[in-house]
mmCIF file of all heavy atoms in Angstrom:
data_model
loop_
_atom_site.group_PDB
_atom_site.id
_atom_site.type_symbol
_atom_site.label_atom_id
_atom_site.label_comp_id
_atom_site.label_asym_id
_atom_site.label_seq_id
_atom_site.Cartn_x
_atom_site.Cartn_y
_atom_site.Cartn_z
ATOM 1 N N ALA A 513 -103.676 -26.183 -202.314
ATOM 2 C CA ALA A 513 -104.585 -25.123 -202.666
ATOM 3 C C ALA A 513 -105.600 -24.777 -201.558
ATOM 4 O O ALA A 513 -105.890 -23.605 -201.282
ATOM 5 C CB ALA A 513 -105.399 -25.546 -203.945
ATOM 6 N N LYS A 514 -106.141 -25.851 -200.904
ATOM 7 C CA LYS A 514 -107.076 -25.614 -199.835
ATOM 8 C C LYS A 514 -106.405 -24.898 -198.631
ATOM 9 O O LYS A 514 -107.063 -23.958 -198.044
ATOM 10 C CB LYS A 514 -107.727 -26.946 -199.403
ATOM 11 C CG LYS A 514 -108.660 -27.472 -200.476
ATOM 12 C CD LYS A 514 -109.238 -28.862 -200.050
ATOM 13 C CE LYS A 514 -109.989 -29.422 -201.225
ATOM 14 N NZ LYS A 514 -110.413 -30.868 -200.953
ATOM 15 N N ALA A 515 -105.219 -25.245 -198.360
ATOM 16 C CA ALA A 515 -104.457 -24.581 -197.209
ATOM 17 C C ALA A 515 -104.258 -23.136 -197.601
ATOM 18 O O ALA A 515 -104.396 -22.247 -196.759
ATOM 19 C CB ALA A 515 -103.159 -25.281 -197.025
ATOM 20 N N ILE A 516 -103.984 -22.862 -198.807
ATOM 21 C CA ILE A 516 -103.774 -21.476 -199.247
ATOM 22 C C ILE A 516 -105.042 -20.673 -199.124
ATOM 23 O O ILE A 516 -104.975 -19.550 -198.706
ATOM 24 C CB ILE A 516 -103.214 -21.434 -200.688
ATOM 25 C CG1 ILE A 516 -101.740 -21.936 -200.676
ATOM 26 C CG2 ILE A 516 -103.266 -20.073 -201.360
ATOM 27 C CD1 ILE A 516 -101.147 -22.206 -202.017
ATOM 28 N N ILE A 517 -106.144 -21.226 -199.599
ATOM 29 C CA ILE A 517 -107.433 -20.551 -199.452
ATOM 30 C C ILE A 517 -107.723 -20.225 -197.994
ATOM 31 O O ILE A 517 -108.093 -19.064 -197.636
ATOM 32 C CB ILE A 517 -108.590 -21.343 -200.044
ATOM 33 C CG1 ILE A 517 -108.397 -21.400 -201.602
ATOM 34 C CG2 ILE A 517 -109.942 -20.747 -199.702
ATOM 35 C CD1 ILE A 517 -109.410 -22.310 -202.270
ATOM 36 N N ARG A 518 -107.401 -21.180 -197.105
ATOM 37 C CA ARG A 518 -107.629 -20.878 -195.668
ATOM 38 C C ARG A 518 -106.731 -19.799 -195.183
ATOM 39 O O ARG A 518 -107.098 -18.859 -194.494
ATOM 40 C CB ARG A 518 -107.410 -22.108 -194.839
ATOM 41 C CG ARG A 518 -108.486 -23.129 -194.925
ATOM 42 C CD ARG A 518 -108.277 -24.346 -193.942
ATOM 43 N NE ARG A 518 -108.983 -25.447 -194.535
ATOM 44 C CZ ARG A 518 -108.337 -26.479 -195.164
ATOM 45 N NH1 ARG A 518 -107.023 -26.496 -195.242
ATOM 46 N NH2 ARG A 518 -109.066 -27.440 -195.663
ATOM 47 N N ASN A 519 -105.400 -19.833 -195.623
ATOM 48 C CA ASN A 519 -104.410 -18.849 -195.182
ATOM 49 C C ASN A 519 -104.715 -17.469 -195.751
ATOM 50 O O ASN A 519 -104.379 -16.387 -195.120
ATOM 51 C CB ASN A 519 -103.003 -19.210 -195.588
ATOM 52 C CG ASN A 519 -102.441 -20.351 -194.796
ATOM 53 O OD1 ASN A 519 -102.924 -20.537 -193.680
ATOM 54 N ND2 ASN A 519 -101.469 -21.042 -195.352
ATOM 55 N N ALA A 520 -105.455 -17.419 -196.903
ATOM 56 C CA ALA A 520 -105.624 -16.134 -197.556
ATOM 57 C C ALA A 520 -106.949 -15.491 -197.049
ATOM 58 O O ALA A 520 -107.308 -14.416 -197.456
ATOM 59 C CB ALA A 520 -105.741 -16.356 -198.994
ATOM 60 N N ALA A 521 -107.636 -16.213 -196.114
ATOM 61 C CA ALA A 521 -108.895 -15.634 -195.643
ATOM 62 C C ALA A 521 -108.715 -14.226 -194.993
ATOM 63 O O ALA A 521 -109.552 -13.393 -195.158
ATOM 64 C CB ALA A 521 -109.554 -16.603 -194.652
ATOM 65 N N ASP A 522 -107.576 -14.069 -194.300
ATOM 66 C CA ASP A 522 -107.372 -12.763 -193.660
ATOM 67 C C ASP A 522 -106.742 -11.773 -194.665
ATOM 68 O O ASP A 522 -107.050 -10.584 -194.558
ATOM 69 C CB ASP A 522 -106.464 -12.947 -192.457
ATOM 70 C CG ASP A 522 -107.168 -13.632 -191.259
ATOM 71 O OD1 ASP A 522 -108.376 -13.457 -191.212
ATOM 72 O OD2 ASP A 522 -106.530 -14.346 -190.522
ATOM 73 N N SER A 523 -105.814 -12.229 -195.511
ATOM 74 C CA SER A 523 -105.157 -11.278 -196.367
ATOM 75 C C SER A 523 -106.050 -10.848 -197.572
ATOM 76 O O SER A 523 -105.813 -9.816 -198.184
ATOM 77 C CB SER A 523 -103.788 -11.808 -196.873
ATOM 78 O OG SER A 523 -104.011 -13.100 -197.453
ATOM 79 N N LEU A 524 -107.091 -11.661 -197.867
ATOM 80 C CA LEU A 524 -108.042 -11.335 -198.941
ATOM 81 C C LEU A 524 -107.423 -10.996 -200.281
ATOM 82 O O LEU A 524 -107.727 -10.002 -200.883
ATOM 83 C CB LEU A 524 -108.920 -10.149 -198.507
ATOM 84 C CG LEU A 524 -110.265 -10.470 -197.828
ATOM 85 C CD1 LEU A 524 -111.077 -9.177 -197.586
ATOM 86 C CD2 LEU A 524 -111.125 -11.347 -198.770
ATOM 87 N N ILE A 525 -106.372 -11.796 -200.551
ATOM 88 C CA ILE A 525 -105.661 -11.476 -201.810
ATOM 89 C C ILE A 525 -106.391 -12.234 -202.972
ATOM 90 O O ILE A 525 -107.192 -13.155 -202.724
ATOM 91 C CB ILE A 525 -104.188 -11.938 -201.815
ATOM 92 C CG1 ILE A 525 -104.056 -13.360 -201.376
ATOM 93 C CG2 ILE A 525 -103.498 -10.931 -200.906
ATOM 94 C CD1 ILE A 525 -102.657 -13.791 -201.465
ATOM 95 N N ARG A 526 -106.112 -11.877 -204.246
ATOM 96 C CA ARG A 526 -106.575 -12.545 -205.428
ATOM 97 C C ARG A 526 -105.867 -13.818 -205.595
ATOM 98 O O ARG A 526 -104.627 -13.901 -205.441
ATOM 99 C CB ARG A 526 -106.284 -11.644 -206.644
ATOM 100 C CG ARG A 526 -106.541 -12.284 -207.960
ATOM 101 C CD ARG A 526 -107.999 -12.117 -208.338
ATOM 102 N NE ARG A 526 -108.122 -12.311 -209.771
ATOM 103 C CZ ARG A 526 -107.982 -13.493 -210.330
ATOM 104 N NH1 ARG A 526 -107.749 -14.535 -209.697
ATOM 105 N NH2 ARG A 526 -108.149 -13.520 -211.667
ATOM 106 N N LEU A 527 -106.611 -14.949 -205.751
ATOM 107 C CA LEU A 527 -105.972 -16.282 -205.833
ATOM 108 C C LEU A 527 -106.300 -16.840 -207.189
ATOM 109 O O LEU A 527 -107.377 -16.682 -207.811
ATOM 110 C CB LEU A 527 -106.588 -17.218 -204.784
ATOM 111 C CG LEU A 527 -106.397 -16.840 -203.310
ATOM 112 C CD1 LEU A 527 -107.200 -17.758 -202.349
ATOM 113 C CD2 LEU A 527 -104.869 -16.807 -202.993
ATOM 114 N N HIS A 528 -105.286 -17.602 -207.744
ATOM 115 C CA HIS A 528 -105.391 -18.267 -209.014
ATOM 116 C C HIS A 528 -104.813 -19.635 -208.871
ATOM 117 O O HIS A 528 -103.693 -19.784 -208.371
ATOM 118 C CB HIS A 528 -104.587 -17.483 -209.999
ATOM 119 C CG HIS A 528 -104.348 -18.026 -211.351
ATOM 120 N ND1 HIS A 528 -103.205 -18.001 -212.052
ATOM 121 C CD2 HIS A 528 -105.154 -18.801 -212.116
ATOM 122 C CE1 HIS A 528 -103.296 -18.622 -213.170
ATOM 123 N NE2 HIS A 528 -104.494 -19.174 -213.231
ATOM 124 N N PHE A 529 -105.538 -20.664 -209.282
ATOM 125 C CA PHE A 529 -105.117 -22.079 -209.057
ATOM 126 C C PHE A 529 -105.125 -22.884 -210.327
ATOM 127 O O PHE A 529 -106.099 -22.914 -211.064
ATOM 128 C CB PHE A 529 -106.064 -22.802 -208.042
ATOM 129 C CG PHE A 529 -105.928 -22.152 -206.662
ATOM 130 C CD1 PHE A 529 -107.061 -21.448 -206.215
ATOM 131 C CD2 PHE A 529 -104.881 -22.335 -205.888
ATOM 132 C CE1 PHE A 529 -107.032 -20.897 -204.879
ATOM 133 C CE2 PHE A 529 -104.797 -21.815 -204.636
ATOM 134 C CZ PHE A 529 -105.872 -21.144 -204.122
ATOM 135 N N GLU A 530 -104.024 -23.595 -210.545
ATOM 136 C CA GLU A 530 -103.875 -24.582 -211.659
ATOM 137 C C GLU A 530 -103.670 -25.954 -210.908
ATOM 138 O O GLU A 530 -102.593 -26.133 -210.361
ATOM 139 C CB GLU A 530 -102.748 -24.297 -212.571
ATOM 140 C CG GLU A 530 -102.901 -22.997 -213.318
ATOM 141 C CD GLU A 530 -103.907 -23.063 -214.388
ATOM 142 O OE1 GLU A 530 -104.316 -24.159 -214.899
ATOM 143 O OE2 GLU A 530 -104.397 -21.970 -214.813
ATOM 144 N N LEU A 531 -104.655 -26.843 -210.867
ATOM 145 C CA LEU A 531 -104.604 -27.971 -209.983
ATOM 146 C C LEU A 531 -104.537 -29.313 -210.772
ATOM 147 O O LEU A 531 -104.308 -29.314 -211.952
ATOM 148 C CB LEU A 531 -105.748 -27.882 -208.996
ATOM 149 C CG LEU A 531 -105.822 -26.600 -208.260
ATOM 150 C CD1 LEU A 531 -106.997 -26.513 -207.333
ATOM 151 C CD2 LEU A 531 -104.561 -26.355 -207.457
ATOM 152 N N GLY A 532 -104.831 -30.326 -210.033
ATOM 153 C CA GLY A 532 -104.674 -31.687 -210.591
ATOM 154 C C GLY A 532 -105.730 -32.049 -211.630
ATOM 155 O O GLY A 532 -106.774 -31.419 -211.749
ATOM 156 N N GLY A 533 -105.424 -33.100 -212.426
ATOM 157 C CA GLY A 533 -106.340 -33.525 -213.389
ATOM 158 C C GLY A 533 -106.520 -35.048 -213.310
ATOM 159 O O GLY A 533 -105.719 -35.714 -212.702
ATOM 160 N N ASN A 534 -107.564 -35.551 -213.884
ATOM 161 C CA ASN A 534 -107.767 -36.946 -214.083
ATOM 162 C C ASN A 534 -108.413 -37.157 -215.470
ATOM 163 O O ASN A 534 -109.599 -37.554 -215.576
ATOM 164 C CB ASN A 534 -108.768 -37.489 -212.965
ATOM 165 C CG ASN A 534 -108.916 -38.941 -212.977
ATOM 166 O OD1 ASN A 534 -108.207 -39.634 -213.775
ATOM 167 N ND2 ASN A 534 -109.757 -39.546 -212.185
ATOM 168 N N ASP A 535 -107.577 -36.874 -216.505
ATOM 169 C CA ASP A 535 -108.114 -36.669 -217.830
ATOM 170 C C ASP A 535 -108.679 -37.998 -218.403
ATOM 171 O O ASP A 535 -107.890 -38.966 -218.558
ATOM 172 C CB ASP A 535 -106.989 -36.171 -218.775
ATOM 173 C CG ASP A 535 -106.531 -34.782 -218.370
ATOM 174 O OD1 ASP A 535 -106.953 -34.300 -217.390
ATOM 175 O OD2 ASP A 535 -105.745 -34.210 -219.201
ATOM 176 N N PRO A 536 -109.926 -38.019 -218.842
ATOM 177 C CA PRO A 536 -110.432 -39.090 -219.537
ATOM 178 C C PRO A 536 -110.126 -39.095 -221.042
ATOM 179 O O PRO A 536 -110.095 -38.029 -221.620
ATOM 180 C CB PRO A 536 -111.954 -39.019 -219.298
ATOM 181 C CG PRO A 536 -112.201 -37.460 -219.232
ATOM 182 C CD PRO A 536 -110.913 -36.926 -218.643
ATOM 183 N N ALA A 537 -109.895 -40.229 -221.612
ATOM 184 C CA ALA A 537 -109.805 -40.342 -223.070
ATOM 185 C C ALA A 537 -110.988 -41.220 -223.475
ATOM 186 O O ALA A 537 -111.177 -42.345 -222.983
ATOM 187 C CB ALA A 537 -108.535 -40.994 -223.517
ATOM 188 N N LEU A 538 -111.837 -40.729 -224.407
ATOM 189 C CA LEU A 538 -113.005 -41.448 -224.910
ATOM 190 C C LEU A 538 -112.679 -41.992 -226.342
ATOM 191 O O LEU A 538 -112.450 -41.204 -227.220
ATOM 192 C CB LEU A 538 -114.210 -40.575 -224.958
ATOM 193 C CG LEU A 538 -115.040 -40.453 -223.641
ATOM 194 C CD1 LEU A 538 -114.204 -39.751 -222.560
ATOM 195 C CD2 LEU A 538 -116.374 -39.617 -223.922
ATOM 196 N N VAL A 539 -112.604 -43.288 -226.381
ATOM 197 C CA VAL A 539 -112.429 -43.922 -227.679
ATOM 198 C C VAL A 539 -113.846 -44.215 -228.219
ATOM 199 O O VAL A 539 -114.545 -44.991 -227.642
ATOM 200 C CB VAL A 539 -111.597 -45.197 -227.540
ATOM 201 C CG1 VAL A 539 -111.387 -45.863 -228.919
ATOM 202 C CG2 VAL A 539 -110.266 -44.836 -226.884
ATOM 203 N N LEU A 540 -114.108 -43.630 -229.422
ATOM 204 C CA LEU A 540 -115.435 -43.854 -230.004
ATOM 205 C C LEU A 540 -115.422 -45.085 -230.900
ATOM 206 O O LEU A 540 -114.351 -45.489 -231.464
ATOM 207 C CB LEU A 540 -115.955 -42.667 -230.722
ATOM 208 C CG LEU A 540 -115.946 -41.311 -229.960
ATOM 209 C CD1 LEU A 540 -116.627 -40.172 -230.768
ATOM 210 C CD2 LEU A 540 -116.722 -41.539 -228.659
ATOM 211 N N ASP A 541 -116.626 -45.658 -231.059
ATOM 212 C CA ASP A 541 -116.726 -46.795 -231.980
ATOM 213 C C ASP A 541 -116.265 -46.351 -233.346
ATOM 214 O O ASP A 541 -116.565 -45.229 -233.838
ATOM 215 C CB ASP A 541 -118.210 -47.249 -232.010
ATOM 216 C CG ASP A 541 -118.327 -48.741 -232.142
ATOM 217 O OD1 ASP A 541 -117.364 -49.369 -232.358
ATOM 218 O OD2 ASP A 541 -119.506 -49.188 -232.120
ATOM 219 N N GLY A 542 -115.434 -47.229 -233.998
ATOM 220 C CA GLY A 542 -114.995 -46.861 -235.358
ATOM 221 C C GLY A 542 -113.581 -46.265 -235.366
ATOM 222 O O GLY A 542 -112.997 -46.058 -236.412
ATOM 223 N N ALA A 543 -113.081 -45.890 -234.168
ATOM 224 C CA ALA A 543 -111.737 -45.390 -234.097
ATOM 225 C C ALA A 543 -110.753 -46.460 -234.550
ATOM 226 O O ALA A 543 -111.002 -47.673 -234.267
ATOM 227 C CB ALA A 543 -111.381 -44.906 -232.708
ATOM 228 N N ASP A 544 -109.621 -46.092 -235.207
ATOM 229 C CA ASP A 544 -108.683 -47.113 -235.513
ATOM 230 C C ASP A 544 -107.968 -47.558 -234.241
ATOM 231 O O ASP A 544 -107.249 -46.809 -233.667
ATOM 232 C CB ASP A 544 -107.568 -46.471 -236.501
ATOM 233 C CG ASP A 544 -106.492 -47.498 -236.825
ATOM 234 O OD1 ASP A 544 -106.851 -48.453 -237.559
ATOM 235 O OD2 ASP A 544 -105.411 -47.381 -236.255
ATOM 236 N N LEU A 545 -108.182 -48.829 -233.839
ATOM 237 C CA LEU A 545 -107.831 -49.214 -232.545
ATOM 238 C C LEU A 545 -106.283 -49.349 -232.340
ATOM 239 O O LEU A 545 -105.699 -48.942 -231.325
ATOM 240 C CB LEU A 545 -108.400 -50.707 -232.261
ATOM 241 C CG LEU A 545 -109.905 -50.679 -231.962
ATOM 242 C CD1 LEU A 545 -110.323 -52.163 -231.583
ATOM 243 C CD2 LEU A 545 -110.371 -49.716 -230.902
ATOM 244 N N GLU A 546 -105.588 -49.770 -233.426
ATOM 245 C CA GLU A 546 -104.082 -49.911 -233.352
ATOM 246 C C GLU A 546 -103.491 -48.530 -233.064
ATOM 247 O O GLU A 546 -102.711 -48.373 -232.123
ATOM 248 C CB GLU A 546 -103.645 -50.462 -234.717
ATOM 249 C CG GLU A 546 -102.162 -50.792 -234.700
ATOM 250 C CD GLU A 546 -101.904 -52.191 -234.235
ATOM 251 O OE1 GLU A 546 -102.884 -53.003 -234.118
ATOM 252 O OE2 GLU A 546 -100.757 -52.449 -233.763
#
Side-chain angles (χ1 to χ4, degrees):
K514 289 175 188 174
I516 287 169
I517 290 174
R518 285 185 208 105
N519 285 339
D522 287 330
S523 51
L524 266 184
I525 54 174
R526 170 84 160 75
L527 298 175
H528 170 219
F529 294 111
E530 298 287 339
L531 306 177
N534 186 4
D535 293 8
L538 275 63
V539 179
L540 302 186
D541 213 355
D544 178 72
L545 290 185
E546 187 83 20

